[in-house]
Amino acid sequence: MTAGAEERREELVALYREVSACTKCPLHETRTKTVFGAGNADADLMFVGEAPGAEEDRQGLPFVGRAGQLLNQLLGEIGLAREDVFIANVLKSRPPGNRDPQPEEIAACEPYLFEQVRLIEPKVVCTLGNFATKLLSGSPTGITKVRGTPQVHELGGRTVFLLPLLHPAAALRTPAMKETLRGDFATIPALLAGPPAAPAPSAEEVAALEAEGGSTPPPPASQLDMLG
Ligand code: URA
């Protein structure tokens, strides 16, 4: 592990402690344990789910219920294990009765998620379901419209591929969705193996190039089909 990776890991441990003691929203009153996230602190691939359920709240670990079993299976099918990836959620505390996350809960918790992305430095972030997708894409477009197509975003000060995926819990309820999720999972290895996401040129860079009479450089060829 490089020195940089060690420092990032230490900062991640400090963030874990901060999250464990967090009282920024009322969910701290009803949770059993915070669920920080788990896995490889130096992973190229991160998954972001919605919020802990009952079993996650009891164990303090993400995706340990049935949805987690499906996630493990789909990871296995693309040659990966949980130890290879980092799995987190939008919310670190369980909403009572598994109700939807509320806007003020998301707002209180989101700095932790962006800090996790900054420290883990993934190449690809897969959002699972609507809440994670809308938060990290910054767009209100629903998951069924955007799933399976990589986007390029700056998250936690880092340019990454964001791949929106159906939530495994939804896939468990509907067999056709499970096959869709499986198909979208199959695109992950190529994203991981390809060149990293490149930042879009800034408005100033575009203006400077145009003033010089040049044209705006196209994004790397490998990303053209991803930027739509
Ligand atoms: N569903 C989620 O979104 N996250 C978990 O951790 C478990 C189930």
mmCIF file of all heavy atoms in Angstrom, residues 84-122:
data_model
loop_
_atom_site.group_PDB
_atom_site.id
_atom_site.type_symbol
_atom_site.label_atom_id
_atom_site.label_comp_id
_atom_site.label_asym_id
_atom_site.label_seq_id
_atom_site.Cartn_x
_atom_site.Cartn_y
_atom_site.Cartn_z
ATOM 1 N N ASP A 84 -13.390 -6.893 -2.659
ATOM 2 C CA ASP A 84 -12.758 -6.117 -3.737
ATOM 3 C C ASP A 84 -13.373 -4.727 -3.882
ATOM 4 O O ASP A 84 -12.807 -3.879 -4.570
ATOM 5 C CB ASP A 84 -12.947 -6.834 -5.091
ATOM 6 C CG ASP A 84 -12.304 -8.205 -5.095
ATOM 7 O OD1 ASP A 84 -11.199 -8.329 -4.556
ATOM 8 O OD2 ASP A 84 -12.928 -9.142 -5.629
ATOM 9 N N VAL A 85 -14.554 -4.535 -3.305
ATOM 10 C CA VAL A 85 -15.295 -3.299 -3.556
ATOM 11 C C VAL A 85 -15.600 -2.613 -2.220
ATOM 12 O O VAL A 85 -15.401 -3.205 -1.161
ATOM 13 C CB VAL A 85 -16.620 -3.596 -4.313
ATOM 14 C CG1 VAL A 85 -16.345 -4.374 -5.593
ATOM 15 C CG2 VAL A 85 -17.621 -4.345 -3.437
ATOM 16 N N PHE A 86 -16.064 -1.373 -2.286
ATOM 17 C CA PHE A 86 -16.535 -0.717 -1.059
ATOM 18 C C PHE A 86 -18.026 -0.450 -1.227
ATOM 19 O O PHE A 86 -18.463 0.057 -2.262
ATOM 20 C CB PHE A 86 -15.788 0.590 -0.789
ATOM 21 C CG PHE A 86 -16.009 1.096 0.617
ATOM 22 C CD1 PHE A 86 -15.135 0.736 1.641
ATOM 23 C CD2 PHE A 86 -17.105 1.902 0.931
ATOM 24 C CE1 PHE A 86 -15.349 1.175 2.949
ATOM 25 C CE2 PHE A 86 -17.330 2.333 2.239
ATOM 26 C CZ PHE A 86 -16.437 1.981 3.239
ATOM 27 N N ILE A 87 -18.800 -0.808 -0.199
ATOM 28 C CA ILE A 87 -20.253 -0.651 -0.265
ATOM 29 C C ILE A 87 -20.712 0.326 0.815
ATOM 30 O O ILE A 87 -20.413 0.139 2.003
ATOM 31 C CB ILE A 87 -20.971 -2.009 -0.079
ATOM 32 C CG1 ILE A 87 -20.453 -3.018 -1.117
ATOM 33 C CG2 ILE A 87 -22.474 -1.831 -0.202
ATOM 34 C CD1 ILE A 87 -21.028 -4.418 -0.979
ATOM 35 N N ALA A 88 -21.415 1.375 0.393
ATOM 36 C CA ALA A 88 -21.921 2.379 1.338
ATOM 37 C C ALA A 88 -23.382 2.669 1.016
ATOM 38 O O ALA A 88 -23.961 2.064 0.106
ATOM 39 C CB ALA A 88 -21.080 3.650 1.239
ATOM 40 N N ASN A 89 -23.962 3.572 1.759
ATOM 41 C CA ASN A 89 -25.340 3.985 1.532
ATOM 42 C C ASN A 89 -25.445 5.508 1.567
ATOM 43 O O ASN A 89 -24.564 6.174 2.132
ATOM 44 C CB ASN A 89 -26.246 3.427 2.640
ATOM 45 C CG ASN A 89 -26.612 1.971 2.436
ATOM 46 O OD1 ASN A 89 -27.149 1.594 1.399
ATOM 47 N ND2 ASN A 89 -26.308 1.146 3.429
ATOM 48 N N VAL A 90 -26.545 6.025 1.038
ATOM 49 C CA VAL A 90 -26.817 7.466 1.159
ATOM 50 C C VAL A 90 -26.967 7.814 2.638
ATOM 51 O O VAL A 90 -26.357 8.766 3.122
ATOM 52 C CB VAL A 90 -28.091 7.841 0.367
ATOM 53 C CG1 VAL A 90 -28.525 9.261 0.671
ATOM 54 C CG2 VAL A 90 -27.860 7.650 -1.130
ATOM 55 N N LEU A 91 -27.795 7.060 3.363
ATOM 56 C CA LEU A 91 -27.963 7.294 4.801
ATOM 57 C C LEU A 91 -27.165 6.286 5.605
ATOM 58 O O LEU A 91 -27.116 5.103 5.247
ATOM 59 C CB LEU A 91 -29.436 7.174 5.216
ATOM 60 C CG LEU A 91 -30.427 8.190 4.657
ATOM 61 C CD1 LEU A 91 -31.782 8.043 5.362
ATOM 62 C CD2 LEU A 91 -29.926 9.625 4.800
ATOM 63 N N LYS A 92 -26.578 6.745 6.687
ATOM 64 C CA LYS A 92 -25.778 5.860 7.550
ATOM 65 C C LYS A 92 -26.600 5.318 8.722
ATOM 66 O O LYS A 92 -26.101 4.526 9.512
ATOM 67 C CB LYS A 92 -24.551 6.594 8.097
ATOM 68 C CG LYS A 92 -23.732 7.356 7.053
ATOM 69 C CD LYS A 92 -23.228 6.475 5.918
ATOM 70 C CE LYS A 92 -22.225 7.217 5.059
ATOM 71 N NZ LYS A 92 -22.331 6.831 3.635
ATOM 72 N N SER A 93 -27.821 5.802 8.874
ATOM 73 C CA SER A 93 -28.694 5.314 9.957
ATOM 74 C C SER A 93 -30.016 4.856 9.353
ATOM 75 O O SER A 93 -30.479 5.416 8.352
ATOM 76 C CB SER A 93 -28.977 6.430 10.974
ATOM 77 O OG SER A 93 -27.781 6.885 11.560
ATOM 78 N N ARG A 94 -30.626 3.869 9.988
ATOM 79 C CA ARG A 94 -31.854 3.285 9.437
ATOM 80 C C ARG A 94 -33.069 4.196 9.652
ATOM 81 O O ARG A 94 -33.344 4.604 10.785
ATOM 82 C CB ARG A 94 -32.128 1.954 10.134
ATOM 83 C CG ARG A 94 -33.358 1.279 9.589
ATOM 84 C CD ARG A 94 -33.781 0.094 10.436
ATOM 85 N NE ARG A 94 -34.934 -0.555 9.832
ATOM 86 C CZ ARG A 94 -35.865 -1.199 10.507
ATOM 87 N NH1 ARG A 94 -35.768 -1.312 11.823
ATOM 88 N NH2 ARG A 94 -36.873 -1.756 9.880
ATOM 89 N N PRO A 95 -33.812 4.468 8.578
ATOM 90 C CA PRO A 95 -35.092 5.153 8.774
ATOM 91 C C PRO A 95 -36.081 4.159 9.400
ATOM 92 O O PRO A 95 -36.175 3.021 8.932
ATOM 93 C CB PRO A 95 -35.533 5.530 7.356
ATOM 94 C CG PRO A 95 -34.320 5.325 6.487
ATOM 95 C CD PRO A 95 -33.504 4.268 7.159
ATOM 96 N N PRO A 96 -36.816 4.558 10.425
ATOM 97 C CA PRO A 96 -37.732 3.621 11.087
ATOM 98 C C PRO A 96 -38.706 2.989 10.094
ATOM 99 O O PRO A 96 -39.236 3.676 9.219
ATOM 100 C CB PRO A 96 -38.483 4.511 12.091
ATOM 101 C CG PRO A 96 -37.688 5.748 12.222
ATOM 102 C CD PRO A 96 -36.870 5.908 10.972
ATOM 103 N N GLY A 97 -38.901 1.684 10.234
ATOM 104 C CA GLY A 97 -39.843 0.976 9.355
ATOM 105 C C GLY A 97 -39.409 0.964 7.898
ATOM 106 O O GLY A 97 -40.229 0.725 7.019
ATOM 107 N N ASN A 98 -38.143 1.248 7.652
ATOM 108 C CA ASN A 98 -37.606 1.291 6.265
ATOM 109 C C ASN A 98 -38.334 2.301 5.381
ATOM 110 O O ASN A 98 -38.430 2.102 4.171
ATOM 111 C CB ASN A 98 -37.655 -0.082 5.590
ATOM 112 C CG ASN A 98 -36.788 -1.093 6.294
ATOM 113 O OD1 ASN A 98 -35.961 -0.722 7.128
ATOM 114 N ND2 ASN A 98 -36.979 -2.346 5.971
ATOM 115 N N ARG A 99 -38.841 3.375 5.977
ATOM 116 C CA ARG A 99 -39.475 4.396 5.133
ATOM 117 C C ARG A 99 -38.411 5.079 4.276
ATOM 118 O O ARG A 99 -37.214 4.921 4.509
ATOM 119 C CB ARG A 99 -40.217 5.424 6.002
ATOM 120 C CG ARG A 99 -39.309 6.215 6.917
ATOM 121 C CD ARG A 99 -39.919 7.564 7.276
ATOM 122 N NE ARG A 99 -39.173 8.219 8.336
ATOM 123 C CZ ARG A 99 -37.989 8.774 8.192
ATOM 124 N NH1 ARG A 99 -37.360 8.709 7.038
ATOM 125 N NH2 ARG A 99 -37.383 9.365 9.208
ATOM 126 N N ASP A 100 -38.888 5.856 3.279
ATOM 127 C CA ASP A 100 -37.954 6.570 2.391
ATOM 128 C C ASP A 100 -37.108 7.580 3.182
ATOM 129 O O ASP A 100 -37.616 8.212 4.114
ATOM 130 C CB ASP A 100 -38.732 7.364 1.325
ATOM 131 C CG ASP A 100 -39.260 6.468 0.212
ATOM 132 O OD1 ASP A 100 -38.880 5.274 0.163
ATOM 133 O OD2 ASP A 100 -40.041 6.973 -0.600
ATOM 134 N N PRO A 101 -35.855 7.765 2.764
ATOM 135 C CA PRO A 101 -35.045 8.838 3.356
ATOM 136 C C PRO A 101 -35.710 10.200 3.116
ATOM 137 O O PRO A 101 -36.266 10.437 2.039
ATOM 138 C CB PRO A 101 -33.729 8.752 2.572
ATOM 139 C CG PRO A 101 -33.674 7.375 2.017
ATOM 140 C CD PRO A 101 -35.101 6.982 1.772
ATOM 141 N N GLN A 102 -35.658 11.068 4.112
ATOM 142 C CA GLN A 102 -36.229 12.410 3.985
ATOM 143 C C GLN A 102 -35.147 13.393 3.526
ATOM 144 O O GLN A 102 -33.962 13.191 3.838
ATOM 145 C CB GLN A 102 -36.789 12.867 5.339
ATOM 146 C CG GLN A 102 -37.878 11.950 5.887
ATOM 147 C CD GLN A 102 -39.064 11.871 4.933
ATOM 148 O OE1 GLN A 102 -39.749 12.852 4.698
ATOM 149 N NE2 GLN A 102 -39.279 10.690 4.355
ATOM 150 N N PRO A 103 -35.560 14.463 2.814
ATOM 151 C CA PRO A 103 -34.560 15.405 2.285
ATOM 152 C C PRO A 103 -33.588 15.928 3.348
ATOM 153 O O PRO A 103 -32.383 16.038 3.090
ATOM 154 C CB PRO A 103 -35.412 16.542 1.714
ATOM 155 C CG PRO A 103 -36.724 15.916 1.393
ATOM 156 C CD PRO A 103 -36.934 14.819 2.397
ATOM 157 N N GLU A 104 -34.084 16.210 4.551
ATOM 158 C CA GLU A 104 -33.169 16.766 5.570
ATOM 159 C C GLU A 104 -32.192 15.687 6.083
ATOM 160 O O GLU A 104 -31.075 16.007 6.481
ATOM 161 C CB GLU A 104 -33.935 17.471 6.706
ATOM 162 C CG GLU A 104 -35.004 16.701 7.426
ATOM 163 C CD GLU A 104 -36.333 16.547 6.660
ATOM 164 O OE1 GLU A 104 -36.441 16.922 5.466
ATOM 165 O OE2 GLU A 104 -37.261 15.984 7.256
ATOM 166 N N GLU A 105 -32.620 14.427 6.043
ATOM 167 C CA GLU A 105 -31.707 13.335 6.436
ATOM 168 C C GLU A 105 -30.608 13.166 5.381
ATOM 169 O O GLU A 105 -29.430 12.992 5.706
ATOM 170 C CB GLU A 105 -32.488 12.024 6.599
ATOM 171 C CG GLU A 105 -33.497 12.054 7.738
ATOM 172 C CD GLU A 105 -34.588 10.999 7.639
ATOM 173 O OE1 GLU A 105 -34.609 10.215 6.654
ATOM 174 O OE2 GLU A 105 -35.438 10.967 8.544
ATOM 175 N N ILE A 106 -31.017 13.242 4.121
ATOM 176 C CA ILE A 106 -30.032 13.120 3.030
ATOM 177 C C ILE A 106 -29.043 14.284 3.102
ATOM 178 O O ILE A 106 -27.826 14.094 2.987
ATOM 179 C CB ILE A 106 -30.748 13.090 1.652
ATOM 180 C CG1 ILE A 106 -31.631 11.845 1.553
ATOM 181 C CG2 ILE A 106 -29.742 13.129 0.511
ATOM 182 C CD1 ILE A 106 -32.523 11.793 0.314
ATOM 183 N N ALA A 107 -29.564 15.478 3.336
ATOM 184 C CA ALA A 107 -28.685 16.660 3.394
ATOM 185 C C ALA A 107 -27.693 16.538 4.553
ATOM 186 O O ALA A 107 -26.515 16.909 4.417
ATOM 187 C CB ALA A 107 -29.531 17.927 3.546
ATOM 188 N N ALA A 108 -28.149 16.006 5.682
ATOM 189 C CA ALA A 108 -27.253 15.873 6.841
ATOM 190 C C ALA A 108 -26.175 14.822 6.584
ATOM 191 O O ALA A 108 -25.032 14.957 7.024
ATOM 192 C CB ALA A 108 -28.070 15.503 8.086
ATOM 193 N N CYS A 109 -26.530 13.779 5.847
ATOM 194 C CA CYS A 109 -25.626 12.629 5.679
ATOM 195 C C CYS A 109 -24.717 12.738 4.458
ATOM 196 O O CYS A 109 -23.673 12.096 4.404
ATOM 197 C CB CYS A 109 -26.472 11.352 5.572
ATOM 198 S SG CYS A 109 -25.908 9.993 6.590
ATOM 199 N N GLU A 110 -25.099 13.534 3.463
ATOM 200 C CA GLU A 110 -24.369 13.465 2.187
ATOM 201 C C GLU A 110 -22.897 13.863 2.282
ATOM 202 O O GLU A 110 -22.073 13.296 1.554
ATOM 203 C CB GLU A 110 -25.096 14.223 1.067
ATOM 204 C CG GLU A 110 -25.131 15.711 1.233
ATOM 205 C CD GLU A 110 -25.728 16.424 0.002
ATOM 206 O OE1 GLU A 110 -26.832 16.063 -0.423
ATOM 207 O OE2 GLU A 110 -25.072 17.341 -0.486
ATOM 208 N N PRO A 111 -22.510 14.795 3.174
ATOM 209 C CA PRO A 111 -21.069 15.095 3.248
ATOM 210 C C PRO A 111 -20.230 13.853 3.588
ATOM 211 O O PRO A 111 -19.093 13.721 3.125
ATOM 212 C CB PRO A 111 -20.968 16.142 4.368
ATOM 213 C CG PRO A 111 -22.329 16.769 4.426
ATOM 214 C CD PRO A 111 -23.294 15.653 4.089
ATOM 215 N N TYR A 112 -20.797 12.943 4.367
ATOM 216 C CA TYR A 112 -20.049 11.711 4.705
ATOM 217 C C TYR A 112 -19.795 10.882 3.446
ATOM 218 O O TYR A 112 -18.717 10.325 3.261
ATOM 219 C CB TYR A 112 -20.822 10.861 5.718
ATOM 220 C CG TYR A 112 -21.019 11.515 7.072
ATOM 221 C CD1 TYR A 112 -22.250 11.470 7.716
ATOM 222 C CD2 TYR A 112 -19.957 12.156 7.710
ATOM 223 C CE1 TYR A 112 -22.435 12.056 8.960
ATOM 224 C CE2 TYR A 112 -20.141 12.745 8.949
ATOM 225 C CZ TYR A 112 -21.375 12.689 9.572
ATOM 226 O OH TYR A 112 -21.542 13.272 10.801
ATOM 227 N N LEU A 113 -20.806 10.791 2.590
ATOM 228 C CA LEU A 113 -20.662 9.987 1.373
ATOM 229 C C LEU A 113 -19.627 10.607 0.431
ATOM 230 O O LEU A 113 -18.766 9.901 -0.115
ATOM 231 C CB LEU A 113 -22.030 9.862 0.682
ATOM 232 C CG LEU A 113 -22.064 9.038 -0.592
ATOM 233 C CD1 LEU A 113 -21.608 7.600 -0.337
ATOM 234 C CD2 LEU A 113 -23.476 9.040 -1.187
ATOM 235 N N PHE A 114 -19.693 11.924 0.259
ATOM 236 C CA PHE A 114 -18.722 12.573 -0.634
ATOM 237 C C PHE A 114 -17.304 12.423 -0.077
ATOM 238 O O PHE A 114 -16.342 12.248 -0.832
ATOM 239 C CB PHE A 114 -19.090 14.045 -0.866
ATOM 240 C CG PHE A 114 -20.303 14.199 -1.746
ATOM 241 C CD1 PHE A 114 -21.470 14.775 -1.278
ATOM 242 C CD2 PHE A 114 -20.291 13.723 -3.054
ATOM 243 C CE1 PHE A 114 -22.600 14.886 -2.090
ATOM 244 C CE2 PHE A 114 -21.412 13.830 -3.881
ATOM 245 C CZ PHE A 114 -22.565 14.410 -3.390
ATOM 246 N N GLU A 115 -17.190 12.474 1.245
ATOM 247 C CA GLU A 115 -15.878 12.282 1.873
ATOM 248 C C GLU A 115 -15.394 10.843 1.659
ATOM 249 O O GLU A 115 -14.203 10.603 1.415
ATOM 250 C CB GLU A 115 -16.018 12.623 3.369
ATOM 251 C CG GLU A 115 -14.756 12.839 4.142
ATOM 252 C CD GLU A 115 -13.825 13.936 3.632
ATOM 253 O OE1 GLU A 115 -14.119 14.605 2.636
ATOM 254 O OE2 GLU A 115 -12.747 14.067 4.234
ATOM 255 N N GLN A 116 -16.306 9.881 1.706
ATOM 256 C CA GLN A 116 -15.926 8.486 1.438
ATOM 257 C C GLN A 116 -15.387 8.342 0.013
ATOM 258 O O GLN A 116 -14.366 7.690 -0.210
ATOM 259 C CB GLN A 116 -17.131 7.557 1.655
ATOM 260 C CG GLN A 116 -17.453 7.349 3.126
ATOM 261 C CD GLN A 116 -18.694 6.497 3.337
ATOM 262 O OE1 GLN A 116 -19.746 6.759 2.755
ATOM 263 N NE2 GLN A 116 -18.594 5.482 4.177
ATOM 264 N N VAL A 117 -16.064 8.980 -0.942
ATOM 265 C CA VAL A 117 -15.589 8.900 -2.339
ATOM 266 C C VAL A 117 -14.210 9.553 -2.448
ATOM 267 O O VAL A 117 -13.307 9.020 -3.099
ATOM 268 C CB VAL A 117 -16.604 9.564 -3.304
ATOM 269 C CG1 VAL A 117 -16.049 9.591 -4.723
ATOM 270 C CG2 VAL A 117 -17.942 8.832 -3.277
ATOM 271 N N ARG A 118 -14.043 10.697 -1.790
ATOM 272 C CA ARG A 118 -12.749 11.399 -1.867
ATOM 273 C C ARG A 118 -11.621 10.515 -1.320
ATOM 274 O O ARG A 118 -10.534 10.462 -1.882
ATOM 275 C CB ARG A 118 -12.821 12.711 -1.064
ATOM 276 C CG ARG A 118 -11.558 13.559 -1.168
ATOM 277 C CD ARG A 118 -11.652 14.821 -0.342
ATOM 278 N NE ARG A 118 -11.465 14.625 1.082
ATOM 279 C CZ ARG A 118 -10.301 14.469 1.691
ATOM 280 N NH1 ARG A 118 -9.182 14.467 0.993
ATOM 281 N NH2 ARG A 118 -10.236 14.293 3.012
ATOM 282 N N LEU A 119 -11.911 9.807 -0.222
ATOM 283 C CA LEU A 119 -10.849 9.039 0.444
ATOM 284 C C LEU A 119 -10.601 7.684 -0.218
ATOM 285 O O LEU A 119 -9.471 7.195 -0.232
ATOM 286 C CB LEU A 119 -11.197 8.850 1.927
ATOM 287 C CG LEU A 119 -11.182 10.150 2.739
ATOM 288 C CD1 LEU A 119 -11.788 9.929 4.121
ATOM 289 C CD2 LEU A 119 -9.758 10.689 2.858
ATOM 290 N N ILE A 120 -11.625 7.072 -0.764
ATOM 291 C CA ILE A 120 -11.466 5.736 -1.362
ATOM 292 C C ILE A 120 -10.907 5.850 -2.784
ATOM 293 O O ILE A 120 -10.196 4.971 -3.249
ATOM 294 C CB ILE A 120 -12.820 4.975 -1.303
ATOM 295 C CG1 ILE A 120 -13.157 4.681 0.168
ATOM 296 C CG2 ILE A 120 -12.776 3.679 -2.108
ATOM 297 C CD1 ILE A 120 -14.587 4.281 0.425
ATOM 298 N N GLU A 121 -11.205 6.969 -3.450
ATOM 299 C CA GLU A 121 -10.711 7.210 -4.821
ATOM 300 C C GLU A 121 -11.129 6.129 -5.813
ATOM 301 O O GLU A 121 -10.293 5.545 -6.525
ATOM 302 C CB GLU A 121 -9.176 7.358 -4.845
ATOM 303 C CG GLU A 121 -8.672 8.546 -4.038
ATOM 304 C CD GLU A 121 -7.184 8.815 -4.266
ATOM 305 O OE1 GLU A 121 -6.491 7.942 -4.818
ATOM 306 O OE2 GLU A 121 -6.725 9.889 -3.884
ATOM 307 N N PRO A 122 -12.431 5.822 -5.898
ATOM 308 C CA PRO A 122 -12.862 4.805 -6.869
ATOM 309 C C PRO A 122 -12.786 5.337 -8.284
ATOM 310 O O PRO A 122 -12.758 6.553 -8.512
ATOM 311 C CB PRO A 122 -14.326 4.555 -6.474
ATOM 312 C CG PRO A 122 -14.773 5.865 -5.921
ATOM 313 C CD PRO A 122 -13.572 6.446 -5.216
#
